C-alpha cells in the first residue's frame, strides 16, 4: 500500500508538530473476515491489504481567506489514478460545511469555522467503484478538530453587580466575588487564562487577581460620610500579558448602616403648653432625639425619668420608632398647678456590642409644660343628688340646696335654673342665687313616684359656661288614700237561699303602700248595723264575707238590696271609706246556679230603662244637629269688613267724599252701642289686611289718667279711649277716621271736618286750643288731647 502526502505550504509547520500527538486519531478500519468466512472462502479469496491516507486533521478557526480552506485529502491504496474510484464524504457538515472532490479525495471547508460554536466534526469516508458503485474500502470514520485562536475576550455575564458591606469594616473584608467567562479553549494555550484588576475604586476597594474577590482596602469607612461607591473591575486573558483581550464590569457597593452613632436631642429644653380642658390621652407635643444612623439602628425608646410631672404626663414612641409623643395622663387643673417639668431620656433600642465604646447610646432633655387657663363651667359639689320627700310635703318645702362654684380663679357668680324638659309639669322651683330647690305643687306618689330633675348652673359673666347635675327626688308614701271596694261591685242572692249563707267575698283596694303592708278592717256602716237581711264577717285577712240573715227571698217583694260597707286601714292617719254593695235577688236552681235576674239591671242603672237611654241619646243628637245648622247659617251671614252705613249698627264707615250733616245728623251712629262695655275690649293687635296705614293718629298724647275718670258715663269714656289707643298702636289701621265716636263732624258743624286725612301734609304740630271754644259738647275731646284748662272741673 502506498502512502501519499499532500500538504499546503502555509500549514506544513503546524501539522508537523501535531502529527506526533494525533497519530492514533484517525480510525482506518480494514475489513477482517471471521473464521467461518475464512474457512469457507479460503479457496476462492485472498487476503487483501487496504488502507486510507489523509493528510490533515486540524484546521484553524476563523479563516478569512477568499478561497475554500483546504483541510486534507482522502486516498485509497487501490486508487491507480485512472479515475475509476469515487470518494464519498458523509457525517457532520458534509455537503454544507465540508466538500470533497470525488475524483481526487481533496476535502475543503466552504464555511467559516468557529471553535466556540463547534469544536470538532465527525466525518465518514468511503471509496466506491465509479462504474459499479461497489464499495472498495470499508467506511472509515475520522474527526476534524477546530484549532482555537484567542478571538474572545473575557465577559462578566452577571454584571453590573450590586454589593453591600457594613460600614466601619476592617481591611480585607470580602465584599463580593466576580467571575469572568472566556469562550476560548482553556486547554490550549493562555487564551482563556484570566487575570483580574481594578480600574476604578481605589483606595477604598481592591480585587484578587486570580479569584476575583473584591475586598475592603480602606479602614473605618463611614456611611454617614459617604454611602455609595462605584468600582470598575477588569478581566484580561492571556494571563494578563500584552496583547490579551479584556472585559470590564461595574460593582455598585453600598455601605450598610451599623449603630455607631449615639442619639442626641436637638434641644436641651423644650417648651410646650396644653389647655387645662385637654382630656386624658391628648397629645401635648413631640420630641426627637436625632440619630445619624438609619433603620433599626436609629429606633428610639423614650421615658420620663424625673420631674414633677411624671404622674401627670406620659410619653410613648410614634409608629416610626423615632419620635417621642408626650400625652396627658391625668386631668389638668390650672388653678391647682399651672406648669410641670419633665426630664426625658431617649435611648437606642438596638445596640451593637462592637461599638459600645462609642456610647452611651442615649441622651437626656428637659420638657417644660405650661397649663393654659380655660374658662370652665361651674362645678357642683356632688356628681348627683338623691332626695326622698314625703308626698304630703307642703308647697314651698325646700327639697335640697344644690351648690356649684366656678373652678376658675375669677370665681364668677353662679346662677341656677331647672332644665325645662326635666320638669315639664313644674312641680319644683329653684332659687336662682342660692340653689334652694323647693316644691311649688303638691306631690302625689300615686301619680308620680319619682321626679328626675336636671339643675343647670351658669356663670353670670359667661352664659355659655353651663353645667348640669341630676337631682332624683323619690316621693315617699303617706297614708292619704282611703281603702275602697271596686268601683262597680254587685252580688246576687238566690230566692232559695237560707240564713247564714255566703253570697259574696269582698276585698278592698288602697293605692297607698305602707311599709308594713296593707291591713283593712271591715264592718257594716252604722246605718246598716242592724240590717235584718245581711251581715258582714271580717276575716282578718283583708277580706270579708257577706252572709244572709234570713231565708225566703222573692223577686216580687224586692229585687235589689243596697248594703253599705265601712272600710278602714291600719296606718296613721287612719283613712276610712264607705262603699255600697248592690245585691240582687235571682232565681237559681238547686245547685245555686243563677237562672234569671232582672236583665236590665245588669246593663243599666235601676232608675234608667233602655227606652229612656235611647230617648236621651236621640235628644242629644237632635241638639247637635241644630247647633251645627245654626253655626252654618251664621257663617253664611257674615258680612265683609267694610260695609254700608245701613248694615253696621256699631261702627259705620263714613266716606270723606260725602260728609255728614253736622250736629243735625243724628242718624249716622247709634250712640247706644257705645254704652256696651264689652265693645271696649277688642284685641289691639287685630290687623287689617285690606289696606296699609298712611298717617299716625294724633291721639298718642292722651293722658292715661283719663281712663280712670269717674262719673256715670265712665263706660263711654273708657270705650272711646280704648278705641283711640287701638287706632294709635295698630300699624294696619285705615288712614281715615273709622271710630266715629263724636257724631258732630260734617257740614253744619262749627268744627267743620275733624278728618285726619290732611294732617300728614303739615310739617307743624296741630294746635287744639280751639276745642275749648266749641262748647260743652267738646269738653271731653279737649280733655283727651290735653288742652283742657286746669281750673275747669272734670266732666265725667
Amino acid at each position: 500500500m502506498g502512502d501519499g502526502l499532500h500538504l499546503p505550504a502555509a500549514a506544513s509547520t503546524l501539522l508537523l508538530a501535531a502529527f506526533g500527538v494525533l497519530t492514533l486519531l484517525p480510525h482506518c478500519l480494514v475489513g477482517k473476515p471471521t473464521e467461518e468466512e475464512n474457512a469457507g472462502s479460503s479457496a476462492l479469496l485472498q487476503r487483501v491489504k487496504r488502507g486510507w491516507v489523509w493528510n490533515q486533521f486540524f484546521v484553524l478557526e476563523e479563516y478569512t481567506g477568499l478561497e475554500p480552506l483546504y483541510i486534507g485529502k482522502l486516498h485509497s491504496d487501490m486508487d491507480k489514478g485512472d479515475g475509476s474510484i469515487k470518494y464519498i464524504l458523509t457525517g457532520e457538515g458534509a455537503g454544507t460545511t465540508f466538500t470533497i472532490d470525488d475524483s481526487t479525495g481533496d476535502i475543503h471547508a466552504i464555511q467559516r469555522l468557529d471553535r466556540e460554536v463547534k469544536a470538532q466534526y465527525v466525518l465518514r469516508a468511503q471509496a466506491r467503484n465509479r462504474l459499479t458503485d461497489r464499495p472498495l474500502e470499508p467506511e472509515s470514520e475520522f474527526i476534524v478538530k477546530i484549532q482555537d485562536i484567542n478571538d474572545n475576550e473575557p465577559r462578566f455575564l452577571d454584571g453590573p453587580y450590586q454589593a453591600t458591606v457594613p460600614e466601619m469594616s476592617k481591611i480585607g473584608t470580602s465584599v463580593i466575588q466576580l467571575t469572568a467567562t472566556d469562550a476560548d479553549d482553556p486547554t490550549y494555550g493562555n487564551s482563556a487564562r484570566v487575570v483580574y484588576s481594578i480600574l476604578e475604586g481605589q483606595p477604598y476597594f481592591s480585587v484578587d487577581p486570580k479569584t476575583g474577590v473584591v475586598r475592603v482596602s480602606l479602614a473605618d469607612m463611614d456611611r454617614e460620610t459617604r454611602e455609595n461607591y462605584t468600582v470598575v473591575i477588569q478581566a484580561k486573558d492571556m494571563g494578563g500579558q500584552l496583547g490579551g483581550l479584556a472585559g470590564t464590569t461595574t460593582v455598585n457597593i453600598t455601605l450598610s448602616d451599623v449603630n455607631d452613632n449615639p442619639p442626641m436631642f436637638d434641644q436641651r429644653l423644650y417648651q410646650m403648653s396644653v389647655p387645662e380642658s385637654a382630656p386624658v390621652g391628648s397629645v401635648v407635643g413631640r420630641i426627637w432625639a436625632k440619630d445619624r444612623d438609619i433603620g433599626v439602628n436609629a429606633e428610639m425608646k423614650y421615658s420620663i425619668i424625673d420631674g414633677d410631672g411624671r404622674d401627670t404626663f406620659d410619653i410613648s414612641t410614634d409608629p416610626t420608632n423615632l419620635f417621642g409623643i408626650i400625652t396627658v395622663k391625668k386631668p389638668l387643673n390650672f388653678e391647682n398647678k399651672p406648669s410641670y417639668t419633665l426630664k426625658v431620656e431617649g435611648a437606642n433600642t438596638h445596640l451593637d456590642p462592637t461599638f459600645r465604646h462609642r456610647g452611651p447610646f442615649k441622651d437626656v432633655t428637659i420638657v417644660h409644660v405650661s397649663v393654659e387657663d380655660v374658662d370652665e363651667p361651674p362645678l357642683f359639689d356632688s356628681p348627683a343628688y338623691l332626695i326622698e320627700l314625703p308626698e304630703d310635703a307642703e308647697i314651698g318645702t325646700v327639697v335640697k340646696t344644690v351648690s356649684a362654684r366656678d373652678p376658675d380663679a375669677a370665681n364668677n357668680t353662679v346662677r341656677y335654673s331647672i332644665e325645662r324638659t326635666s320638669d315639664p309639669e313644674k312641680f319644683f322651683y329653684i332659687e336662682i342665687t342660692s340653689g334652694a330647690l323647693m316644691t311649688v305643687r303638691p306631690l302625689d306618689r300615686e301619680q308620680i313616684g319619682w321626679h328626675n330633675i336636671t339643675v343647670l348652673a351658669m356663670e353670670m359673666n359667661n352664659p355659655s359656661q353651663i353645667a348640669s347635675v341630676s337631682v332624683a327626688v323619690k316621693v315617699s308614701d303617706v297614708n292619704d288614700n282611703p281603702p275602697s271596694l271596686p268601683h262597680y261591685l254587685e252580688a246576687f242572692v238566690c230566692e232559695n237561699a237560707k240564713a247564714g249563707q255566703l253570697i259574696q267575698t269582698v276585698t278592698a283596694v288602697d293605692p297607698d303602700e305602707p311599709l308594713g303592708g296593707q291591713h283593712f278592717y271591715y264592718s257594716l256602716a252604722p246605718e246598716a248595723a242592724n240590717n235584718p237581711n245581711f251581715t258582714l264577717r271580717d276575716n282578718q285577712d283583708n277580706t270579708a264575707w257577706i252572709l244572709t240573715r234570713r231565708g225566703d227571698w222573692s223577686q216580687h217583694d224586692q229585687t235589689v238590696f243596697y248594703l253599705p260597707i265601712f272600710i278602714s286601714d291600719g296606718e296613721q292617719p287612719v283613712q276610712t271609706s264607705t262603699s255600697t254593695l248592690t245585691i240582687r235577688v235571682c232565681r237559681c236552681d238547686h245547685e245555686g246556679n243563677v237562672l234569671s235576674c232582672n236583665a236590665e239591671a245588669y246593663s243599666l242603672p235601676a232608675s234608667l230603662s233602655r227606652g229612656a237611654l235611647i230617648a236621651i241619646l236621640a235628644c242629644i243628637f237632635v241638639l247637635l244637629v241644630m247647633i251645627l245648622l245654626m253655626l252654618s247659617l251664621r257663617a253664611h251671614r257674615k258680612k265683609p269688613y267694610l260695609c254700608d252705613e245701613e248694615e253696621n249698627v256699631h261702627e259705620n264707615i263714613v266716606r270723606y267724599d260725602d260728609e255728614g250733616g253736622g250736629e243735625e245728623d243724628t242718624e249716622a251712629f247709634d250712640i247706644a252701642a257705645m254704652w256696651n262695655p264689652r265693645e271696649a275690649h277688642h284685641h289691639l293687635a287685630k290687623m287689617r289686611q285690606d289696606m296699609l296705614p298712611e298717617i299716625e293718629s294724633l291721639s298718642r298724647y292722651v293722658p292715661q289718667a283719663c281712663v280712670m275718670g269717674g262719673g256715670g258715663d265712665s263706660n263711654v269714656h273708657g270705650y272711646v279711649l280704648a278705641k283711640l289707643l287701638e287706632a294709635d298702636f295698630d300699624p294696619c289701621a285705615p288712614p281715615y277716621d273709622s271710630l266715629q265716636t263724636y257724631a258732630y263732624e260734617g257740614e253744619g258743624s262749627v268744627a267743620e271736618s275733624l278728618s285726619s286725612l290732611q294732617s300728614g301734609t303739615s310739617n307743624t304740630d296741630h294746635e287744639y286750643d280751639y276745642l275749648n271754644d266749641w262748647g260743652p259738647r267738646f269738653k271731653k275731646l279737649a280733655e283727651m288731647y290735653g288742652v283742657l284748662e286746669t281750673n275747669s272741673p272734670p266732666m265725667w
Side-chain angles (χ1 to χ4, degrees):
M1 194 180 341
D3 296 333
L5 180 61
H6 305 279
L7 298 176
S12 59
T13 304
L14 291 174
L15 291 180
L16 289 175
F19 272 147
V21 182
L22 301 174
T23 53
L24 298 178
L25 187 61
H27 303 280
C28 299
L29 301 177
V30 178
K32 195 174 185 179
T34 61
E35 294 180 358
E36 291 78 9
E37 291 177 343
N38 292 335
S41 60
S42 60
L44 298 177
L45 299 176
Q46 291 182 352
R47 181 178 180 87
V48 179
K49 184 179 179 181
R50 302 184 181 116
W52 288 98
V53 177
W54 45 86
N55 300 325
Q56 188 173 357
F57 307 104
F58 291 87
V59 60
L60 291 176
E61 64 173 335
E62 305 294 342
Y63 171 71
T64 58
L66 298 178
E67 297 296 329
L69 177 64
Y70 180 76
I71 295 177
K73 182 180 181 65
L74 296 181
H75 181 74
S76 173
D77 56 0
M78 297 180 66
D79 188 358
K80 304 302 181 180
D82 56 0
S84 61
I85 295 179
K86 179 181 179 181
Y87 295 98
I88 297 173
L89 184 67
T90 60
E92 295 177 343
T96 57
T97 304
F98 304 100
T99 61
I100 188 171
D101 188 332
D102 61 353
S103 298
T104 63
D106 293 332
I107 301 174
H108 291 82
I110 60 176
Q111 288 187 358
R112 185 177 180 178
L113 301 177
D114 189 354
R115 190 202 66 83
E116 286 72 35
V117 176
K118 190 171 179 64
Q120 66 182 14
Y121 295 84
V122 179
L123 298 172
R124 292 181 298 277
Q126 192 175 32
R128 288 179 176 270
N129 188 294
R130 188 178 295 274
L131 296 178
T132 63
D133 200 30
R134 293 181 60 186
L136 301 178
E137 296 283 352
E139 187 178 65
S140 178
E141 183 180 276
F142 64 95
I143 297 175
V144 177
K145 239 183 170 183
I146 310 302
Q147 191 172 8
D148 183 52
I149 64 173
N150 189 19
D151 59 343
N152 292 278
E153 73 276 5
R155 296 178 182 273
F156 294 93
L157 301 180
D158 298 329
Y161 298 88
Q162 303 289 335
T164 302
V165 63
E167 62 174 332
M168 298 295 173
S169 296
K170 296 180 180 180
I171 296 177
T173 302
S174 175
V175 179
I176 188 173
Q177 183 175 13
L178 307 180
T179 300
T181 302
D182 195 324
D184 293 327
D185 188 1
T187 64
Y188 181 75
N190 294 328
S191 298
R193 190 164 68 90
V194 177
V195 174
Y196 300 94
S197 62
I198 183 168
L199 301 181
E200 182 180 339
Q202 302 96 338
Y204 308 105
F205 299 95
S206 62
V207 64
D208 189 293
K210 293 183 179 181
T211 62
V213 175
V214 178
R215 301 180 184 276
V216 175
S217 60
L218 183 65
D220 297 334
M221 286 191 294
D222 192 0
R223 184 202 65 83
E224 287 75 30
T225 303
R226 182 178 176 183
E227 184 175 5
N228 298 307
Y229 296 85
T230 300
V231 179
V232 178
I233 303 297
Q234 175 184 268
K236 191 174 183 180
D237 58 13
M238 299 299 291
Q241 297 177 4
L242 185 64
L245 302 179
T248 61
T249 189
T250 301
V251 183
N252 296 313
I253 301 176
T254 302
L255 298 183
S256 61
D257 186 65
V258 297
N259 192 7
D260 59 338
N261 294 281
M264 182 176 297
F265 286 100
D266 55 355
Q267 293 181 228
R268 293 292 103 187
L269 176 64
Y270 287 86
Q271 294 285 350
M272 299 180 183
S273 62
V274 59
E276 62 175 333
S277 59
V280 174
S282 300
V283 175
V284 178
R286 187 177 71 168
I287 61 175
W288 182 23
K290 294 183 179 180
D291 194 327
R292 298 178 62 193
D293 299 320
I294 59 174
V296 296
N297 297 317
E299 292 183 0
M300 304 293 299
K301 180 181 180 181
Y302 297 89
S303 58
I304 300 175
I305 60 176
D306 200 1
D308 55 2
R310 296 180 63 180
D311 298 332
T312 308
F313 298 94
D314 198 3
I315 190 169
S316 60
T317 307
D318 75 326
T320 64
N321 294 321
L322 298 178
F323 300 95
I325 308 299
I326 299 177
T327 56
V328 178
K329 186 177 181 180
K330 290 184 178 180
L332 305 175
N333 191 316
F334 171 81
E335 288 71 28
N336 292 343
K337 190 171 180 58
S339 64
Y340 296 87
T341 300
L342 306 175
K343 187 177 182 181
V344 180
E345 179 186 80
N348 283 139
T349 57
H350 296 81
L351 300 180
D352 191 340
T354 307
F355 303 99
R356 285 188 180 274
H357 63 281
R358 292 174 174 263
F361 289 85
K362 58 184 177 181
D363 197 15
V364 176
T365 188
I366 302 299
V367 179
H368 185 268
V369 181
S370 298
V371 180
E372 298 177 352
D373 188 23
V374 176
D375 192 3
E376 300 172 279
L379 181 65
F380 283 93
D381 58 359
S382 177
Y385 297 92
L386 176 61
I387 305 164
E388 186 170 354
L389 187 69
E391 60 180 327
D392 62 349
E394 296 182 358
I395 295 177
T397 300
V398 176
V399 179
K400 178 70 176 180
T401 300
V402 299
S403 177
R405 62 176 182 83
D406 182 9
D408 300 317
N411 195 19
N412 293 322
T413 305
V414 177
R415 294 291 181 261
Y416 303 92
S417 62
I418 296 177
E419 204 275 322
R420 293 182 179 180
T421 58
S422 64
D423 187 24
E425 299 182 7
K426 298 181 179 180
F427 283 94
F428 300 92
Y429 166 79
I430 191 169
E431 211 284 321
I432 188 172
T433 58
S434 65
L437 182 67
M438 60 188 69
T439 59
V440 293
R441 287 182 56 187
L443 304 178
D444 190 353
R445 187 203 63 84
E446 286 71 36
Q447 292 184 358
I448 303 177
W450 284 87
H451 295 269
N452 295 312
I453 306 169
T454 300
V455 176
L456 306 178
M458 177 184 67
E459 290 185 16
M460 189 172 181
N461 294 341
N462 188 0
S464 63
Q465 296 297 331
I466 301 176
S468 62
V469 69
S470 176
V471 180
V473 180
K474 179 183 179 181
V475 182
S476 59
D477 184 55
V478 174
N479 191 26
D480 56 349
N481 292 281
S484 62
L485 295 181
H487 179 67
Y488 191 75
L489 184 62
E490 285 189 345
F492 69 91
V493 59
C494 296
E495 289 181 326
N496 56 1
K498 305 299 182 182
Q501 183 173 337
L502 173 66
I503 63 172
Q504 182 69 40
T505 300
V506 295
T507 302
V509 294
D510 191 340
D512 294 323
E513 293 181 358
L515 296 178
Q518 301 283 6
H519 190 79
F520 303 128
Y521 301 94
Y522 302 90
S523 63
L524 294 178
E527 62 271 19
N530 297 320
N531 191 303
N533 302 310
F534 304 97
T535 184
L536 181 144
R537 178 186 297 173
D538 191 345
N539 297 323
Q540 301 298 319
D541 60 356
N542 291 340
T543 64
W545 286 352
I546 306 299
L547 306 173
T548 58
R549 300 187 68 175
R550 65 178 179 86
D552 299 330
W553 304 91
S554 176
Q555 291 183 350
H556 298 289
D557 297 338
Q558 188 173 348
T559 60
V560 179
F561 294 90
Y562 299 100
L563 185 65
I565 301 174
F566 180 81
I567 309 171
S568 65
D569 55 22
E571 294 291 325
Q572 295 296 327
V574 176
Q575 301 290 337
T576 63
S577 67
T578 301
S579 300
T580 300
L581 177 65
T582 301
I583 304 175
R584 301 187 179 279
V585 180
C586 301
R587 291 190 181 92
C588 304
D589 56 14
H590 64 281
E591 295 181 356
N593 299 319
V594 176
L595 297 178
S596 66
C597 293
N598 187 355
E600 291 184 350
Y602 285 98
S603 58
L604 299 173
S607 59
L608 189 61
S609 65
R610 186 184 300 275
L613 180 60
I614 294 174
I616 292 173
L617 293 176
C619 292
I620 293 174
F621 177 78
V622 171
L623 182 60
L624 290 175
V625 171
M626 292 179 64
I627 292 174
L628 293 176
L629 182 60
M630 292 176 63
L631 293 175
S632 177
L633 293 175
R634 183 175 180 182
H636 285 294
R637 292 179 59 187
K638 286 184 178 180
K639 300 301 179 182
Y641 192 83
L642 298 176
C643 58
D644 296 336
E645 295 176 358
E646 292 81 10
E647 295 177 345
N648 191 346
V649 180
H650 299 286
E651 186 171 326
N652 298 332
I653 298 177
V654 178
R655 298 179 176 86
Y656 291 99
D657 57 350
D658 186 11
E659 291 287 341
E663 297 182 6
E664 293 81 14
D665 188 2
T666 59
E667 298 179 357
F669 188 84
D670 187 3
I671 194 66
M674 300 177 63
W675 291 94
N676 186 359
R678 290 175 296 177
E679 291 294 326
H681 298 287
H682 293 300
H683 197 280
L684 296 178
K686 182 169 67 176
M687 312 294 270
R688 288 293 302 272
Q689 304 296 329
D690 55 345
M691 57 194 68
L692 298 174
E694 295 180 1
I695 61 173
E696 295 182 358
S697 174
L698 298 175
S699 58
R700 60 185 179 274
Y701 300 107
V702 177
Q704 296 297 324
C706 298
V707 180
M708 302 306 295
D713 54 354
S714 61
N715 290 335
V716 176
H717 174 269
Y719 175 80
V720 172
L721 184 58
K723 284 295 183 179
L724 186 60
L725 292 176
E726 179 182 359
D728 287 344
F729 292 99
D730 188 1
C732 296
Y736 47 80
D737 293 337
S738 59
L739 298 178
Q740 298 198 3
T741 57
Y742 311 111
Y744 297 115
E745 63 173 306
E747 295 180 2
S749 173
V750 295
E752 298 180 352
S753 176
L754 297 180
S755 174
S756 60
L757 284 176
Q758 302 301 324
S759 62
T761 61
S762 175
N763 294 328
T764 60
D765 294 334
H766 290 280
E767 297 293 336
Y768 298 99
D769 295 337
Y770 55 85
L771 294 177
N772 293 319
D773 302 329
W774 289 358
R777 291 181 180 272
F778 292 89
K779 288 292 186 179
K780 186 61 180 178
L781 187 60
E783 177 185 356
M784 292 174 61
Y785 281 87
V787 296
L788 188 64
E789 295 180 2
T790 57
N791 56 358
S792 301
M795 295 294 294
W796 295 348

